[in-house]
């Protein structure tokens, strides 16, 4: 997937950047039931930042359906939040965000947006994420492998290896694995969109902490870059 950024002179700052909070684990098929978890779909979020994040009023888009996260929804720094149904909360403790009902399709598109509907994270998932034939029938979650490579998509996901079937509010069971991005990114296009704005299109997604750093860009003759934003 391509990445488009905007260099602006100047612009205003934003509260949360893309991939600050990531979709970290998805339980979308509980038939047959997981070995050690209640039979309810859930979605786990992970906070990659060093600060507690208030995600009240943020939205989940689940294959076209939108859910607004309730007031007092927070994720601690480097912590988890699990979104599921109230029935799930009767069996699992931790930082839970519960709805009267919550279900996921066997495949589809999930996006997490902030209060202004800016994408923070997104994923297209399917049973193809499960390569183990013994687990593809259901009862196992899929987990992100490396939190520092959220842009890789399918390559950075694997089926859960914990015998309970999932790891809600816990470290992912596949986090020990190594994922390598062997294809370097390159610039596809640069466009002038106004007298003080440049649009740059990269060949793939890049880490926000890298591309949002104004010091990595140099324009000759010299122009000061006041900010960088990601075009959603």
């Amino acid at each position: 997937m391509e990445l488009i950024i905007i260099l602006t002179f100047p612009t205003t700052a934003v509260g949360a950047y893309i991939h600050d909070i990531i979709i970290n684990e998805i339980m979308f098929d509980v038939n047959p039931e997981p070995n050690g978890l209640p039979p309810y779909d859930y979605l786990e979020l992970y906070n990659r930042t060093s600060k507690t994040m208030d995600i009240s009023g943020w939205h989940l888009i689940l294959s076209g359906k939108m859910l607004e996260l309730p007031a007092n929804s927070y994720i601690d720094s480097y912590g988890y939040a699990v979104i599921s149904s109230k029935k799930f909360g009767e069996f699992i403790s931790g930082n839970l965000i519960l709805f009267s009902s919550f279900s996921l399709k066997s495949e589809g598109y999930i996006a997490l947006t902030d209060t202004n509907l800016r994408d923070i994270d997104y994923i297209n998932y399917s049973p193809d994420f499960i390569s183990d034939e013994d687990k593809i029938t259901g009862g196992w979650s899929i987990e992100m492998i490396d939190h520092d490579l959220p842009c890789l998509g399918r390559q950075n996901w694997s089926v859960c290896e914990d015998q309970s079937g999932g790891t809600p509010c816990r470290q992912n069971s596949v986090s020990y694995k190594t994922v390598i991005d062997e294809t370097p990114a390159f610039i596809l296009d640069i466009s002038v969109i106004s007298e003080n704005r440049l649009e740059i299109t990269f060949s793939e997604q890049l880490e926000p902490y890298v591309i949002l750093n104004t010091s990595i860009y140099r324009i000759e003759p010299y122009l000061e870059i006041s900010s960088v934003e990601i075009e959603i």
Side-chain angles (χ1 to χ4, degrees):
M1 180 182 293
E2 296 176 358
L3 170 70
I4 300 176
I5 66 169
I6 307 295
L7 304 185
T8 307
F9 324 88
T11 189
T12 56
V14 297
Y17 292 112
I18 192 168
H19 302 316
D20 275 355
I21 306 293
I22 57 173
I23 298 165
N24 189 53
E25 182 181 359
I26 307 171
M27 176 67 84
F28 59 83
D29 185 357
V30 291
N31 184 21
E33 296 184 7
N35 292 326
L37 294 173
Y40 303 103
D41 295 350
Y42 67 83
L43 180 72
E44 181 185 76
L45 305 178
Y46 177 73
N47 182 358
R48 299 175 66 232
T49 76
S50 60
K51 60 184 179 181
T52 297
M53 299 288 286
D54 182 358
I55 57 173
S56 305
W58 287 25
H59 299 87
L60 271 181
I61 300 172
L62 308 172
S63 299
K65 179 182 178 181
M66 181 179 289
L67 291 177
E68 181 174 329
L69 302 187
N72 300 315
S73 295
Y74 294 89
I75 307 182
D76 290 338
S77 62
Y78 309 114
Y80 306 92
V82 169
I83 301 170
S84 188
S85 66
K86 291 182 178 179
K87 290 184 178 180
F88 182 84
E90 296 175 4
F91 301 91
I92 299 295
S93 60
N95 184 20
L96 306 179
I97 301 173
L98 304 177
F99 293 86
S100 57
S101 64
F102 182 85
S103 63
L104 298 169
K105 295 183 177 180
S106 59
E107 61 182 298
Y109 174 77
I110 299 175
L112 175 68
T113 75
D114 65 10
T115 54
N116 295 315
L117 296 180
R118 293 185 309 111
D119 281 352
I120 301 299
D121 196 22
Y122 43 84
I123 184 173
N124 280 296
Y125 69 95
S126 75
D128 292 339
F129 280 39
I130 302 174
S131 56
D132 189 330
E133 293 183 359
D134 293 332
K135 297 179 179 180
I136 200 169
T137 55
W140 300 86
S141 72
I142 55 173
E143 302 177 330
M144 180 175 284
I145 298 171
D146 190 336
H147 297 151
D148 292 329
L149 296 172
C151 306
L152 286 186
R154 167 69 184 88
Q155 181 183 346
N156 194 25
W157 285 78
S158 184
V159 64
C160 179
E161 296 183 359
D162 191 279
Q163 289 304 305
S164 65
T167 56
C169 291
R170 293 190 286 128
Q171 182 179 6
N172 285 352
S173 64
V174 298
S175 61
Y176 72 91
K177 294 185 176 183
T178 301
V179 181
I180 300 175
D181 184 4
E182 298 179 341
T183 304
F186 55 90
I187 293 175
L188 294 174
D189 184 63
I190 299 177
S191 302
V192 177
I193 57 177
S194 73
E195 63 180 10
N196 70 330
R197 305 187 85 195
L198 289 178
E199 180 180 273
I200 304 175
T201 303
F202 290 91
S203 59
E204 63 180 58
Q205 296 290 312
L206 299 170
E207 278 297 307
Y209 74 86
V210 175
I211 60 174
L212 295 173
N213 180 2
T214 59
S215 66
I216 70 171
Y217 303 95
R218 183 172 64 185
I219 298 178
E220 296 180 358
Y222 175 77
L223 284 175
E224 180 181 357
I225 300 171
S226 59
S227 66
V228 183
E229 61 184 279
I230 298 173
E231 180 78 358
I232 302 300

